[in-house]
Amino acid sequence: METALYSQGVEEEIVEAWHIKDSEEEEDHRLPKHCEPKEFVSLHKLEDLGIRTWRVGSDYENEEQVKQIRESRGYSHSCTLDLHPERLPNFEQILKRIFVEHLHLDDEISYCIQGSGYHDVRDENDRWIRIAVKEGVMILLPAGIYHRLALDLNNYLKILIFNAGPAVDITTYERPGDDLLARKLYLETLHKKGC
Ligand code: NI
């Protein structure tokens, strides 16, 4: 067993994150894809990249933290992604689609209702970081960050993606999106932080 990654008490169990090796396209994306030796990534590093995580209760509709985040950002709508092999007729096809590297013009906030999976994000050196989420975890990926979504070996993930309807643009822009303002602003923010 791996030892615990974080030493900051409460933050310890929200998510685990690690660098992954760039592997062949045909490899199963549900594998953890650890480097050899394993290279874990701290929560502070994720925060430097603009990523935020919260652990919220399973009664998310009434969860105070969720309400606060939604209200402060005006996120009134949500859509559910239920990635279950028996409930989705084109399951494998959809897994391929969500694994395509992309960015958005606004922050993407999602909440894991059931199951588990991986949000992969690019760091400042364009290396992939794999962030494992499970039931009860809410995660914010900042506008302009390149990312993708994958299942893990449990093969089931149900997430809720928040948005504010027409006011927030959650359109997917496949890489390359380097000319998009959101991408430029994101890189500027990283630069200012000294990343
Ligand atoms: Ni996305």
Side-chain angles (χ1 to χ4, degrees):
M1 276 297 286
E2 286 301 311
T3 48
L5 168 59
Y6 307 116
S7 55
Q8 297 99 347
V10 167
E11 292 175 352
E12 202 168 304
E13 291 175 14
I14 301 178
V15 292
E16 231 184 33
W18 56 88
H19 282 294
I20 57 173
K21 53 183 185 218
D22 265 324
S23 48
E24 306 304 314
E25 264 310 299
E26 59 271 19
E27 194 186 345
D28 189 343
H29 305 309
R30 288 164 270 217
L31 294 168
K33 292 172 178 263
H34 275 289
C35 295
E36 204 53 64
K38 291 178 181 176
E39 286 181 60
F40 284 105
V41 175
S42 73
L43 205 53
H44 289 299
K45 175 68 198 177
L46 296 183
E47 281 168 8
D48 283 346
L49 294 173
I51 297 156
R52 295 199 55 200
T53 54
W54 300 266
R55 167 160 293 286
V56 297
S58 53
D59 185 17
Y60 62 90
E61 293 284 6
N62 297 306
E63 177 68 48
E64 208 44 50
Q65 267 186 308
V66 178
K67 271 189 201 163
Q68 277 176 16
I69 292 161
R70 291 181 70 164
E71 276 164 23
S72 65
R73 291 173 165 265
Y75 285 17
S76 51
H77 298 74
S78 57
C79 65
T80 307
L81 208 54
D82 190 13
L83 303 167
H84 191 287
E86 279 150 33
R87 287 201 283 269
L88 272 184
N90 45 355
F91 181 67
E92 293 295 334
Q93 208 181 324
I94 286 174
L95 292 199
K96 272 189 198 146
R97 202 187 307 157
I98 60 172
F99 198 67
V100 173
E101 183 174 0
H102 65 278
L103 60 74
H104 307 287
L105 305 185
D106 282 296
D107 298 342
E108 174 184 308
I109 297 191
S110 64
Y111 171 74
C112 180
I113 304 171
Q114 275 182 330
S116 52
Y118 300 129
H119 290 275
D120 291 346
V121 299
R122 294 278 192 185
D123 74 2
E124 74 281 12
N125 298 314
D126 218 27
R127 288 188 71 197
W128 281 117
I129 296 174
R130 177 151 272 195
I131 306 168
V133 295
K134 53 191 175 188
E135 193 173 322
V137 169
M138 186 151 71
I139 184 164
L140 179 152
L141 304 182
I145 194 171
Y146 283 126
H147 64 279
R148 65 189 181 192
L149 184 65
L151 294 197
D152 61 18
L153 291 171
N154 289 322
N155 217 28
Y156 175 50
L157 175 66
K158 186 174 182 179
I159 57 172
L160 201 63
I161 299 175
F162 296 106
N163 66 78
V168 169
D169 188 351
I170 56 158
T171 309
T172 292
Y173 295 87
E174 285 182 22
R175 189 170 185 171
D178 299 321
D179 291 336
L180 295 165
L181 183 61
R183 179 64 187 168
K184 289 178 180 164
L185 291 175
Y186 177 65
L187 290 178
E188 239 171 66
T189 310
L190 282 190
H191 193 67
K192 278 185 198 147
K193 280 186 196 162
C195 285

